[in-house]
Each structure stands twice: as structure tokens, then as C-alpha cells.
Amino acid sequence: MKHELDDRSGPPGEGPDAPRRTFLKAIAAAIAGVAAVLPPAVAGAATLFDPLRRRERDATSIRVASLSAIPQGASPRRVTVSSDRVDGWTHYESTPVGAVYLRWEGERVQALNVVCPHAGCSVNLARAGTHFACPCHRSRFALDGTREEGPAPRGLDELEAEVRDGEIWVRFQNFRPGIEEKVPI
């Protein structure tokens, strides 16, 4: 008796189904590769671009003082600005984010950021209470924040302030130092 050999017999990987098996193996490897690479890539991109996502161009108003803390006719008062902050999964309550000088200007309260627009130093009120001075680079500012002398490219940055129910609220933000334009950071 003569035995006929089946066409599909032979070493594994050969025969009419071999190209299909090779194709399915390649597809499975590609899917596994994407499944292994995609989650870390997405997480890495999210981490990389997180500061851009968090950047708040439009500052929110923060309660900084009661109206009674700033008597009319008094020298400007330096007030620390504190706000809640969320960093990743951590929530920080009442964290100092900056400071302002508050003073009456006519019938309104004026808020000036304490940061010198020259190099980002903190300005001080002169002992006589007649002007603001930067201790680092000799910039001098009038009580209304206008630049009087020194290397500062602009006056002190005025912030939006309003009185609500006997409380002073300020739209706090910092601005880029060293340039004439008032550009938020």
C-alpha cells in the first residue's frame, strides 16, 4: 500500500496557513507594543505639559484685609496675600502667594504689587512714608506707584481692588519684571 502525504504536513510554520499565522503574530505583537508604550507616553506627556494646563491667566479675587485695617489718610499698609493652592494631589490652605501695599486714593482703595518691575525685588515703604524704594537697585516710586527714578522700566504694578461688605478684595497676579509692558506671569 502506498501512503500519500498530506500537503499540510511538514515542519511547523510551513504550509498554506503559514502566511496567515505570521500576519496574526505580527498584529498581536503590534497591539502588545502599543499597549505597553501608550500609557507611559500619555502619562509622560501629561506630566510634561502639566504647567501649561495649570497656568491661570485670569487671576481670581482674594480677600486681603478688612476695610478698617486701612484708615483714610494713613500711610500705605503692606498686606500678605494668601490663597489656597493645589499642587498635584496636595491641597495647601492659606499659602502666601505675594504681598500688596494698600492705600486710599480718593474714594477708592488702591492695591500695588510689592514686586519691583526691574528685577523682581520686594520694594519697601520709606521710613518717612513719602515713597517706595527698591533696596537692590535704587528704583524709587511715588505713593501712587509711578516710577520716579532708577532702572525700573515701569511703575509699580497696580492690581484690581474692590470693597465688598467691608472687606478688601484684590485680583492678585505677578507680572514679568525687566520689561516696559505689564505682562502677566
Side-chain angles (χ1 to χ4, degrees), residues 10 13 20 22 25-26 28 36 44 63 73 90 98 151 155 161 163 177 182:
R20 186 173 71 129
T22 303
K25 285 180 187 177
R63 182 201 166 283
T90 307
V163 177
K182 191 173 163 181

Side-chain angles (χ1 to χ4, degrees), residues 35 68 70 73 86 98 108 123 130 134 150 153 165:
S68 62
I70 314 297
V86 177
R108 72 180 188 97
V123 299
T130 57
C134 178
D165 299 322

Side-chain angles (χ1 to χ4, degrees), residues 10-182:
E14 292 182 7
D17 289 340
R20 186 173 71 129
R21 277 191 298 256
T22 303
F23 175 74
L24 290 175
K25 285 180 187 177
I27 292 294
I31 290 171
V34 168
V37 171
L38 189 61
V42 169
T47 302
L48 179 66
F49 294 111
D50 185 58
L52 296 175
R53 182 183 63 82
R54 289 172 179 259
R55 190 173 204 162
E56 293 183 20
R57 282 288 194 194
D58 186 27
T60 58
S61 290
I62 301 169
R63 182 201 166 283
V64 294
S66 67
L67 197 55
S68 62
I70 314 297
Q72 290 218 12
S75 293
R77 300 279 167 94
R78 184 182 173 121
V79 178
T80 300
V81 178
S82 296
S83 177
D84 291 349
R85 186 171 63 90
V86 177
D87 184 13
W89 292 277
T90 307
H91 179 88
Y92 301 96
E93 290 188 23
S94 194
T95 303
V97 293
V100 294
Y101 281 106
L102 297 174
R103 72 182 207 57
W104 281 98
E105 185 175 50
E107 295 297 314
R108 72 180 188 97
V109 174
Q110 181 186 37
L112 298 171
N113 197 323
V114 302
V115 175
C116 179
H118 171 238
C121 306
S122 183
V123 299
N124 299 317
L125 181 63
R127 284 192 181 166
T130 57
H131 64 277
F132 297 105
C134 178
C136 304
H137 304 101
R138 297 189 177 176
S139 287
R140 180 179 162 145
F141 307 91
L143 290 179
D144 67 356
T146 56
R147 181 188 165 281
E148 291 183 337
E149 63 183 58
R154 64 180 186 269
L156 292 176
D157 296 316
E158 185 171 351
L159 303 171
E160 290 180 40
E162 66 177 312
V163 177
R164 299 182 203 159
D165 299 322
E167 304 287 332
I168 301 170
W169 292 74
V170 173
R171 186 173 280 257
F172 185 79
Q173 59 188 139
N174 288 308
F175 298 90
R176 185 171 295 151
I179 59 174
E180 283 187 45
E181 299 82 28
K182 191 173 163 181

